[in-house]
Amino acid sequence: MAHRTTLTQEQLAKTLKAVKNASGAVPAKASGNAERERIFDSFRRWGYLQANLDPLGIFRPLKHPDLEELTGQATEEAQRIYCGTTGADFMHLPEPERRHWIIERLEAPAQEVDQHKILERLIRADLFEQVLQARYLGSKRFSLEGVTALIPLLDAILDEAAEHGAESSIMAMSHRGRLNVMVHAACKSPHEVVAGFEDVDPRSVLGAGDVKYHIGATGTYVTSSGKEIAIHLVSNPSHLEAVDPVAVGRSRAKQTRYGLQGPYIDRSLETLNKVVPIVMHGDAAFAGQGIWAETLNFADLRAYTVGGTIHIIVNNLIGFTTPPRQEHSARFASDIAKRQSVPIFHVNGEDPDAVVRVGKIATEYRATFGGDVVVDIIGYRRHGHSEVDDPTITQPRLYERIKDHPPLWKIYAESTGIDAKHIAEAVRKEYEEEQTKARSLRKIPRLRQLPEYWAPYFHGRYKPEYEVDTGLSREKLAEITDALVRVPGGFHVHPKIAKLLEQRAEMGHGKRAVDYGFAEALAFGSLLLEGTPVRLTGQDSQRGTFNQRHAVLVDTETERDYLPLCHLSPNQAFCEIYNSSLSEAGCLGFEYGFSRDYPESLVLGEGQRRSGNHRPIHQRGRGQVESSRGNRDASSTRL
């Protein structure tokens, strides 16, 4: 954009100081630039409050005193950028390079978008729901109508992610629009997805109630440039945000597979960009559910980071029957994300071009900085909470307006001048034929497949022949012990820990009784040498709540840490032991997710009770760990 200004305040101050003349006056040109920068800075900070974000015009722009008295050409230009159908809230980021990066992209000329593709995707998203409504009138559904721009948004994200090396995407969402995403992002056949409405298999419960809106799906998405991305839409219970940590944990596991180099893991941006987590939220749940806040806190924690998650708020400006003023104290449901270095892009859901551009910026931001980003796409909900619910009882005026509001694809076709009639007719015919095919099915199709790394595992009841000998020879125990008590040269061990290591050396060589803490270390070591990875996270898990584990040693002079279990052998499996945040549900969900995509590993999540009792709360994989002891006892371990 001509004459665009992207100077930071610090740069501006240096510029003005350099151009001052001997008398101390600022030349007219520099003074004009300073005024322009002052105006743009105000709009960068507060312009999102005055953006035109609600397609129905009910959520009106909010005046801000810092913007009210600004006039002139620079003001008009800044308003077009920051107060249009996109509202960027990013000036709270403490990193100047990230702010500058966003400013450059927002103030640059708008990129061209493929309007024909956008129109077709909008038609498909809307008609998919409309055909379902006509065929299954009275069935419980959770339509995407009102925010169908979500589909072009996902297209933009996946297209851009592929250009940055993405090979896989883990998606999570609640029920609204789930079937639409299955068809258009996970690329499942419509007849497979809608079979749940037909009750073609009386023995199946998938056709009953809303269960079909909670199951997962896997598929392959092909980008505009022909690149393939494996999609996994994760199953989700009725607790709307419960899936968040699970999806992020699964992403971490897949990234670990890509980055595995013997006992070490490459977590460079190049590796992390191979797997892109995309989590879709409702506005009410985003603002109100605590497990989401716990998951957001994982973003930059070493134990949990995945190089950024792309969060999408599918914002209907309503939660069941509850309006925003009763849902969250802040103006936006997304404001909880501002507690961290996370940019937020609000966008009017009826400007699909802006939605697509924001999707590309958000994805590029994640790929560049490895950080979380939020896209808040604001629309409405055409029907009630479900299509059998009557919303006119609680929101009569709102739904009077929605009743006469045309679907987005018709609005977009008119604004772009593209003839959509023939496209709409072809798409409607296609979906009606898919419904006919669904009625002919005799069994509900399975929408998801387990990855190949689940193939070695047996399904069904326990059998005695599954038992294996888990004993270890004295020689193997001594070998593991020697590695566990060895520290690198120049490492300053705490005197108490030095004494403990001496005692553990005696334990491992049969000269002293083995305590619980060292028994656990020996068990972990034996698994690692056999090729079974071990991941343990939890509250104070590196040392152990009761001073019993000391898995991670700390240099008394530098506070550099050292994990002996990572240095048993060059051919061992990887080992991760981290202290977690003071979270329970979020951490548990993350480790469950990790275990789902790394079943050959031993995955443990460890939590505390406030009374002091100590209990690892999750296990999955080749071993199972459970412990619970009183306040004075070291934790016991059963393998």
Side-chain angles (χ1 to χ4, degrees):
M1 184 173 292
H3 307 300
R4 63 192 175 99
T5 306
T6 58
L7 289 175
T8 64
Q9 289 290 344
E10 296 86 352
Q11 291 171 318
L12 177 63
K14 292 178 181 178
T15 301
L16 292 179
K17 184 176 181 181
V19 299
K20 276 193 175 183
N21 58 24
S23 64
V26 178
K29 185 175 181 179
S31 178
N33 288 338
E35 176 64 11
R36 178 184 179 79
E37 177 62 21
R38 183 183 72 84
I39 290 171
F40 264 75
D41 185 72
S42 294
F43 277 96
R44 291 165 190 155
R45 293 182 183 279
W46 308 115
Y48 73 96
L49 295 173
Q50 295 191 358
N52 177 23
L53 300 174
D54 182 7
L56 301 178
I58 296 173
F59 184 70
R60 297 181 180 277
L62 180 68
K63 294 182 179 180
H64 193 280
D66 287 5
L67 306 180
E68 284 303 288
E69 297 182 2
L70 299 178
T71 59
Q73 182 179 349
T75 297
E76 293 174 2
E77 186 178 342
Q79 285 175 330
R80 285 195 299 272
I81 296 169
Y82 291 104
C83 302
T85 53
T86 299
D89 188 1
F90 64 95
M91 291 298 282
H92 59 282
L93 304 186
E95 304 90 352
E97 69 278 6
R98 297 192 183 193
R99 299 196 304 269
H100 189 77
W101 186 94
I102 293 172
I103 288 169
E104 283 188 329
R105 279 147 185 78
L106 293 176
E107 296 180 14
Q111 292 183 341
E112 293 294 324
V113 297
D114 186 344
Q115 294 184 328
H116 285 84
K117 178 182 177 180
I118 292 173
L119 177 59
E120 182 187 349
R121 300 294 276 175
L122 291 175
I123 291 173
R124 287 187 172 278
D126 249 315
L127 292 189
F128 176 80
E129 301 290 359
Q130 291 174 20
V131 170
L132 287 182
Q133 176 73 357
R135 172 65 180 84
Y136 305 112
L137 187 65
S139 296
K140 196 173 187 180
R141 296 193 306 107
F142 301 94
S143 166
L144 188 61
E145 291 168 275
V147 202
T148 47
L150 172 66
I151 300 305
L153 173 61
L154 290 174
D155 289 337
I157 290 172
L158 293 172
D159 279 359
E160 186 68 22
E163 298 307 309
H164 291 278
E167 299 180 16
S168 175
S169 178
I170 303 294
M171 294 186 178
M173 66 187 302
S174 57
H175 46 282
R176 184 160 310 285
R178 189 178 190 88
L179 304 188
N180 217 309
V181 171
M182 283 184 182
V183 170
H184 298 113
C187 300
K188 306 304 294 184
S189 298
H191 74 273
E192 294 179 307
V193 173
V194 304
F197 287 100
E198 295 289 345
D199 287 329
V200 296
D201 182 358
R203 296 167 298 176
S204 172
V205 299
L206 293 182
D210 62 359
V211 178
K212 51 189 163 289
Y213 282 90
H214 299 288
I215 60 175
T218 56
T220 301
Y221 180 92
V222 180
T223 70
S224 299
S225 62
K227 296 178 180 178
E228 294 187 352
I229 298 180
I231 303 295
H232 187 163
L233 178 62
V234 182
S235 302
N236 189 33
S238 293
H239 300 281
L240 303 178
E241 300 293 323
V243 71
D244 299 352
V246 178
V248 180
R250 298 191 81 143
S251 299
R252 170 92 174 201
K254 286 183 177 291
Q255 290 169 342
T256 299
R257 290 186 177 279
Y258 279 115
L260 198 60
Q261 299 176 357
Y264 306 105
I265 303 168
D266 171 21
R267 296 204 183 277
S268 64
L269 266 181
E270 182 180 0
T271 299
L272 299 183
N273 282 338
K274 291 181 182 296
V275 183
V276 179
I278 303 172
V279 181
M280 291 159 271
H281 316 258
D283 49 307
F286 192 93
Q289 296 210 344
I291 194 170
W292 142 244
E294 293 180 24
T295 306
L296 177 65
N297 187 50
F298 293 160
D300 297 313
L301 299 183
R302 185 181 172 193
Y304 303 101
T305 185
V306 291
T309 299
I310 299 174
H311 299 279
I312 302 172
I313 304 177
V314 186
N315 195 336
N316 301 303
L317 296 176
I318 193 169
F320 208 146
T321 65
T322 306
R325 66 180 181 276
Q326 296 175 344
E327 287 178 350
H328 44 85
S329 298
R331 174 168 171 80
F332 292 97
S334 59
D335 280 3
I336 186 174
K338 293 171 68 173
R339 74 176 190 170
Q340 292 171 219
S341 184
V342 178
I344 302 166
F345 297 96
H346 308 283
V347 59
N348 188 315
E350 286 198 348
D351 185 351
D353 292 359
V355 170
V356 166
R357 292 186 184 110
V358 162
K360 289 182 177 295
I361 291 174
T363 308
E364 187 183 1
Y365 176 91
R366 185 257 176 194
T368 302
F369 298 107
D372 282 31
V373 59
V374 174
V375 177
D376 179 19
I377 177 172
I378 298 177
Y380 60 92
R381 188 187 67 196
R382 181 164 291 278
H383 307 285
H385 176 67
S386 71
E387 276 59 20
V388 298
D389 188 49
D390 183 1
T392 64
I393 295 171
T394 50
Q395 280 82 29
R397 296 176 62 187
L398 171 64
Y399 277 87
E400 182 65 28
R401 186 173 299 192
I402 290 174
K403 180 180 69 174
D404 299 322
H405 197 76
L408 177 54
W409 70 268
K410 290 186 176 181
I411 296 173
Y412 190 67
E414 183 176 348
S415 68
T416 58
I418 302 174
D419 184 3
K421 180 180 178 182
H422 298 297
I423 302 174
E425 289 175 351
V427 170
R428 185 180 293 276
K429 181 181 179 182
E430 175 188 334
Y431 286 156
E432 288 173 347
E433 290 174 351
E434 287 287 323
Q435 279 191 335
T436 302
K437 189 183 293 186
R439 287 199 298 271
S440 68
L441 296 175
R442 292 294 174 263
K443 187 174 182 180
I444 293 178
R446 188 170 181 83
L447 298 177
R448 59 199 186 279
Q449 291 184 336
L450 286 174
E452 284 299 315
Y453 38 79
W454 276 97
Y457 293 90
F458 298 102
H459 179 270
R461 294 182 177 181
Y462 163 82
K463 296 180 180 179
E465 54 264 37
Y466 293 161
E467 287 289 341
V468 295
D469 182 11
T470 61
L472 296 171
S473 67
R474 290 181 178 272
E475 292 75 18
K476 178 60 68 173
L477 288 173
E479 175 190 339
I480 298 171
T481 296
D482 291 342
L484 289 175
V485 299
R486 185 173 57 235
V487 295
F491 191 90
H492 305 89
V493 183
H494 191 284
K496 291 184 178 180
I497 301 303
K499 180 64 175 177
L500 175 65
L501 295 180
E502 292 177 7
Q503 294 172 349
R504 287 184 168 181
E506 294 176 353
M507 294 177 194
H509 286 272
K511 299 177 182 179
R512 178 189 289 264
V514 178
D515 63 19
Y516 286 115
F518 195 53
E520 178 190 72
L522 290 171
F524 287 166
S526 69
L527 290 174
L528 293 168
L529 291 177
E530 291 174 358
T532 298
V534 174
R535 174 179 164 87
L536 166 63
T537 65
Q539 297 159 18
D540 310 296
S541 289
Q542 292 183 332
R543 191 205 73 167
T545 303
F546 303 107
N547 208 29
Q548 86 286 357
R549 180 173 290 131
H550 296 286
V552 176
L553 310 181
V554 179
D555 189 300
T556 57
E557 295 189 7
T558 65
E559 291 198 356
R560 180 169 64 93
D561 57 33
Y562 176 74
L563 176 57
L565 284 166
C566 282
H567 302 277
L568 304 177
S569 165
N571 301 316
Q572 70 172 84
F574 74 85
C575 178
E576 295 183 312
I577 299 181
Y578 292 110
N579 292 331
S580 73
S581 64
L582 193 58
S583 161
E584 303 237 342
C587 291
L588 176 61
F590 188 99
E591 302 308 335
Y592 171 73
F594 191 99
S595 73
R596 291 293 296 169
D597 278 295
Y598 226 119
E600 66 269 40
S601 63
L602 174 63
V603 180
L604 309 97
E606 190 171 52
Q608 298 177 8
R609 293 180 177 178
R610 289 192 176 184
S611 64
N613 285 344
H614 179 71
R615 178 190 299 268
I617 53 178
H618 174 63
Q619 30 63 34
R620 183 80 184 190
R622 290 186 58 179
Q624 293 188 357
V625 172
E626 176 184 52
S627 67
S628 179
R629 301 290 289 179
N631 292 356
R632 297 183 182 178
D633 296 338
S635 75
S636 65
T637 302
R638 183 175 70 242
L639 282 169

